[in-house]
Amino acid sequence: MSKILIGRYVPGNSLVYKMDPRGKLLVTILFIFIIFLANNWVTYAIITIFSFLAVAATKLKAKVFWDGVKPLIWLILFTSVLQLFFTTGGQIYWNWIIFTISSYGITNAIYIFIRFTLIILISTVMTVTTMPLEIADAMEWILTPLKYVKVPIDKIALVMSIALRFVPTLFDETLKIMNAQRSRGADFNNGGLIKRAKAITPLLVPLFINSLETAVDLSTAMESRGYRDGANRTRYRILKWSKYDLYELAYFIILVLLLLVFRTK
Amino acid sequence: MSIKFEKVSYTYFPGSPLEKKGLDNVSFKIKEGQFIAIIGHTGSGKSTLMQHFNALLKPSKGRIEIAGQTILPTTSNKNLKELRKHVSLVFQFPEAQLFENTVLDDIAFGPKNFGYSEQKAKEKAWTWLTRVGLPKSVANRSPFDLSGGQMRQVAIAGVMAYEPDILCLDEPAAGLDPRARKQMMGLFSKYQQEGHTVILVTHNMDDVANYANDVLVMESGKLIKHARPAEVFKDRSWLKEHYIEEPKASLFASKLTNFTFSNTPLTIKELVKGIENNLKE
Ligand SMILES: Nc1ncnc2c1ncn2[C@@H]1O[C@H](COP(=O)(O)OP(=O)(O)OP(=O)(O)O)[C@@H](O)[C@H]1O
Ligand SMILES: [Mg+2]
């Protein structure tokens, strides 16, 4: 059993955790589209409030979400600044060669900032409340229609779940081997590029060998339990819709309706 | 010199929902040059404690003095090589750390890292190859062609080859056959008698009884007893309460209800002596 976080899942049991991963994934994807319905202050305010309520519904610490936004904060700021300087229109406040600060630029920059941040927040809500394996199941479900154009969804899903399952194992293993080699005087943190590249051999070789062994063991175990390619199989984790998904759907529909009503035509 | 832990606590994933106490306010002082056993059941914090000896984990709180160095929560990750040369760790299933093309090169990896010349490292590798009980013929073979037990021997030789003053072992004999186990324990015992400190994490109480002169008993991250083996195994009800097994000899003695033993025998030798004494009377 591994204790390492995979993906960004954070254990909890609020309302959002009880929702079906398929619903969460779908709504998250749709959210990225419907955010473009917002085009004035009122609609941006509405979607911001709705998003923050969703964040609050997870009952997780704000830090979890800040950790989601933090790595992208520079990208968000950079994009906003570009908008600020390169959008023209409305009242012009300042101009220098090709840079302009205009009233349109200012509102656009703020809009972009909000849009970006909200998309990250909402995806964070999904990734922190849904286990990676559930996300994989949900993706498989969403991709099911592709079966009819002969895309091997089952196989892709199997590969995906196995990969996800072994990420923490691999992580544990890496840490263990690193510590073992550190005890033998290996140094992974100091030295130039070549020295560091060299230092990584004692880590990579055992890791590869271990992974290959694990893979062989896994395939033997699967075969000995009668796993066959292409057979119709039942599921261990059965996804079920519940009343919480209805709440989610209702919440989403209300948001869309409000946006449609208040957006500038 | 001695190894000193002062109110050491360690927390895994502090501040996250997965936060977990690995060590909880552990303090002790042990003399160097001894054979020290760390016991306690699964999840009690033995491996966590071990990794503090050479600063692979640093205390979240408290301070450690070992091999003339002090480890604090603020100790930097750089310059730990000197410490690790003196205090070395053999992890559970160390065979997973082998990577070189030949057995000899793998054993020489540690010595080379710690500043031995190529020549000297090879020499050390040869010495320890034979000391751990491997035949000379495996020296130039790939470590991956060996049996599991032999790979374990190579890995252990790889750590002993630079002769650390303090050798810490995390269940080194797990999964070995009785003969290989005895041979390996003999190796560590000899190493200790040559003037080094051996710290052994083990679930085997006979090993504790046979080799250790100081025992640390862990439970849920806390040190619940620190005493000589005779002291630890004296109180049968305490052992039961903490789910610690007795050595075979003392268990055997407890079943001989007609016999009286002045001291509970811990090893087979003591047991035989005790029975002889009883028969003489
Ligand atoms: N990498 C880790 N991340 C989070 N928690 C950990 C980690 N390693 C250990 N723990 C936790 O710390 C506690 C002590 O673990 P430790 O590995 O030190 O136990 P142990 O006494 O060595 O057990 P065993 O006899 O099974 O080897 C356990 O509750 C464990 O779940
Ligand atoms: Mg352990």
Side-chain angles (χ1 to χ4, degrees):
Chain A
M1 236 243 345
S2 171
K3 322 106 212 165
I4 308 281
L5 279 173
I6 15 168
R8 305 229 305 280
Y9 180 72
V10 180
N13 58 358
S14 59
L15 181 71
V16 189
Y17 284 88
K18 299 193 178 100
M19 292 173 182
D20 190 289
R22 292 170 292 179
K24 279 190 271 187
L25 185 62
L26 211 55
V27 165
T28 307
I29 295 169
L30 290 177
F31 183 86
I32 297 170
F33 292 102
I34 64 130
I35 199 162
F36 289 97
L37 289 177
N39 60 0
N40 57 24
W41 291 113
V42 183
T43 42
Y44 268 104
I46 291 171
I47 201 160
T48 306
I49 291 168
F50 269 70
S51 304
F52 274 87
L53 284 177
V55 167
T58 62
K59 296 205 175 136
L60 293 170
K61 286 188 196 131
K63 187 176 174 297
V64 174
F65 295 94
W66 171 236
D67 285 344
V69 177
K70 202 168 48 182
L72 291 166
I73 194 80
W74 291 112
L75 184 65
I76 302 176
L77 286 177
F78 180 69
T79 323
S80 307
V81 167
L82 281 189
Q83 284 295 323
L84 179 64
F85 285 121
F86 292 108
T87 314
T88 50
Q91 197 168 347
I92 305 238
Y93 300 115
W94 181 80
N95 187 306
W96 181 66
I97 317 178
I98 51 166
F99 303 103
T100 340
I101 292 186
S102 64
S103 58
Y104 276 24
I106 292 174
T107 37
N108 258 348
I110 295 173
Y111 284 170
I112 289 258
F113 181 84
I114 296 176
R115 209 185 290 154
F116 230 134
T117 313
L118 292 187
I119 289 176
I120 295 168
L121 278 182
I122 290 297
S123 353
T124 307
V125 168
M126 185 199 63
T127 50
V128 296
T129 61
T130 320
M131 280 188 265
L133 275 177
E134 292 181 328
I135 298 181
D137 285 348
M139 275 196 220
E140 182 185 355
W141 177 79
I142 289 179
L143 295 177
T144 307
L146 291 181
K147 251 186 204 158
Y148 301 106
V149 289
K150 296 244 158 46
V151 180
I153 295 299
D154 301 346
K155 279 184 211 166
I156 295 175
L158 179 70
V159 169
M160 218 152 56
S161 349
I162 290 178
L164 281 173
R165 164 63 188 76
F166 282 99
V167 166
T169 311
L170 210 62
F171 201 92
D172 274 356
E173 204 60 39
T174 312
L175 202 67
K176 211 184 112 190
I177 294 169
M178 244 172 143
N179 277 342
Q181 308 297 32
R182 274 197 184 118
S183 289
R184 294 210 275 167
D187 194 343
F188 298 105
N189 301 328
N190 297 318
L193 199 62
I194 294 178
K195 198 167 160 218
R196 272 195 212 198
K198 255 189 167 161
I200 215 156
T201 321
L203 176 64
L204 283 188
V205 173
L207 208 54
F208 264 115
I209 288 175
N210 274 332
S211 311
L212 287 179
E213 271 170 11
T214 312
V216 171
D217 285 352
L218 180 69
S219 64
T220 313
M222 282 168 73
E223 266 169 23
S224 59
R225 288 179 199 186
Y227 183 91
R228 270 173 307 117
D229 192 23
N232 254 338
R233 53 197 69 259
T234 51
R235 301 184 154 273
Y236 175 62
R237 292 179 302 277
I238 295 173
L239 298 175
K240 273 209 190 87
W241 298 108
S242 68
K243 60 176 192 252
Y244 301 105
D245 301 303
L246 280 181
Y247 302 159
E248 186 185 11
L249 185 65
Y251 191 72
F252 187 70
I253 289 177
I254 292 171
L255 171 63
V256 174
L257 289 179
L258 284 176
L259 289 181
L260 286 175
V261 170
F262 287 101
R263 75 193 300 259
T264 320
K265 305 287 172 332
Chain B
M1 267 204 289
S2 56
I3 302 170
K4 215 158 93 186
F5 273 53
E6 275 172 33
K7 300 201 169 121
V8 173
S9 295
Y10 183 81
T11 313
Y12 284 104
F13 303 117
S16 90
L18 296 177
E19 183 172 305
K20 178 130 195 44
K21 266 232 158 88
L23 288 183
D24 190 359
N25 207 11
V26 171
S27 301
F28 60 83
K29 195 169 156 181
I30 41 187
K31 276 216 267 324
E32 285 188 14
Q34 308 219 68
F35 199 117
I36 296 135
I38 301 177
I39 61 175
H41 47 92
T42 293
S44 55
K46 303 180 297 294
S47 300
T48 309
L49 178 61
M50 280 274 283
Q51 292 175 60
H52 280 79
F53 289 128
N54 72 350
L56 284 172
L57 295 179
K58 281 174 294 179
S60 309
K61 267 197 226 125
R63 75 187 252 134
I64 300 169
E65 275 170 40
I66 188 165
Q69 298 208 25
T70 306
I71 307 168
L72 297 168
T74 49
T75 300
S76 130
N77 272 329
K78 294 201 167 145
N79 314 321
L80 288 174
K81 217 160 167 173
E82 191 54 29
L83 172 69
R84 289 182 185 153
K85 185 178 170 180
H86 295 295
V87 186
S88 210
L89 233 71
V90 177
F91 282 85
Q92 244 167 323
F93 303 107
E95 49 274 31
Q97 72 194 34
L98 304 178
F99 73 98
E100 279 284 10
N101 290 323
T102 70
V103 167
L104 206 64
D105 283 341
D106 210 292
I107 302 177
F109 176 70
K112 274 192 276 185
N113 280 331
F114 289 120
Y116 288 63
S117 68
E118 189 81 29
Q119 175 71 26
K120 189 94 179 100
K122 278 265 155 68
E123 249 169 58
K124 284 280 175 202
W126 274 113
T127 312
W128 283 95
L129 177 86
T130 42
R131 276 198 74 174
V132 297
L134 286 164
K136 280 207 164 74
S137 59
V138 300
N140 289 311
R141 283 174 53 190
S142 157
F144 302 107
D145 292 343
L146 304 181
S147 78
Q150 287 176 319
M151 284 168 80
R152 177 92 52 98
Q153 286 172 310
V154 174
I156 287 173
V159 172
M160 296 181 82
Y162 47 89
E163 296 173 14
D165 300 332
I166 301 173
L167 176 68
C168 310
L169 304 137
D170 200 343
E171 292 184 56
L176 293 185
D177 68 65
R179 200 178 129 261
R181 162 176 223 113
K182 199 157 173 218
Q183 194 255 339
M184 193 167 275
M185 292 306 300
L187 173 73
F188 302 142
S189 182
K190 181 134 188 289
Y191 191 69
Q192 182 245 333
Q193 281 155 20
E194 287 168 2
H196 304 100
T197 310
V198 172
I199 303 178
L200 174 79
V201 169
T202 183
H203 286 291
N204 186 313
M205 297 307 143
D206 291 317
D207 287 348
V208 178
N210 281 319
Y211 303 102
N213 28 49
D214 204 3
V215 186
L216 300 172
V217 188
M218 299 294 298
E219 188 179 271
S220 1
K222 291 192 180 75
L223 179 66
I224 55 167
K225 201 170 201 118
H226 175 196
R228 305 170 65 76
E231 186 74 23
V232 171
F233 294 120
K234 200 174 65 183
D235 188 348
R236 199 159 274 140
S237 62
W238 185 86
L239 291 175
K240 258 223 170 76
E241 198 180 313
H242 296 279
Y243 305 99
I244 299 165
E245 261 179 68
E246 289 176 67
K248 280 200 201 74
S250 84
L251 197 65
F252 192 95
S254 73
K255 308 268 173 190
L256 293 173
T257 39
N258 293 336
F259 286 47
T260 51
F261 295 91
S262 49
N263 288 319
T264 319
L266 298 182
T267 61
I268 304 287
K269 235 191 213 157
E270 290 170 17
L271 178 67
V272 170
K273 192 138 219 168
I275 295 176
E276 277 173 1
N277 285 344
N278 272 282
L279 293 177
K280 264 186 227 151
E281 279 157 21

